[in-house]
Amino acid sequence: ITQLPGPNVAGIDTAIDGAGNAMVVFAVIKLTGILAYASRCPAGGAWGAPTLLSALNDKGGVGVAGDAAGTFVVIWNDAAGNVQAVTVPPGAGFGPGTPVGASPSRRLLVPGKAVLWTAAGISTEPV
């Protein structure tokens, strides 16, 4: 058993690709805000060290989805309440977040695209 998140976890999500590789994202409450982290586990392997994705004053709201080919997309809410997203191809590192819209009431993630349901309607944003 590998314990990843520390105390004060404010949200968690997981996804598994077609080859059995997994990714977990979680948010941890800190004095400055809610920090979003991600960690990977290759099929049959061990969890890697968590990578900080968000800025120090972001708000959590984490989510992750993966496809059969091993691409994952991760989202979190930034300090302004907007959704940040990053697409992670197989074997690649985490890049910076891309703003994809206002914090939605519902969201669906597919690699390369975030589908957001907000009060203004439905939008799709590339990530």
Side-chain angles (χ1 to χ4, degrees), residues 1-116:
I1 296 177
T2 301
Q3 183 176 349
L4 290 172
N8 302 322
V9 173
I12 190 165
D13 197 14
T14 58
I16 300 173
D17 70 12
N21 301 302
M23 185 174 292
V24 62
V25 293
F26 55 94
V28 178
I29 300 170
K30 301 284 187 177
L31 292 176
T32 59
I34 302 175
L35 303 179
Y37 293 87
S39 179
R40 293 187 210 192
C41 182
W47 288 100
T51 299
L52 177 64
L53 301 174
S54 63
L56 294 178
N57 59 349
D58 284 350
K59 297 183 178 181
V62 296
V64 62
D67 69 8
T71 298
F72 291 90
V73 63
V74 178
I75 63 167
W76 66 93
N77 294 336
D78 67 17
N82 296 313
V83 176
Q84 296 283 325
V86 61
T87 295
V88 186
F94 296 95
T98 300
V100 294
S103 183
S105 57
R106 301 267 190 234
R107 61 189 175 246
L108 169 70
L109 304 171
V110 293
K113 188 174 291 189
V115 181
L116 310 174

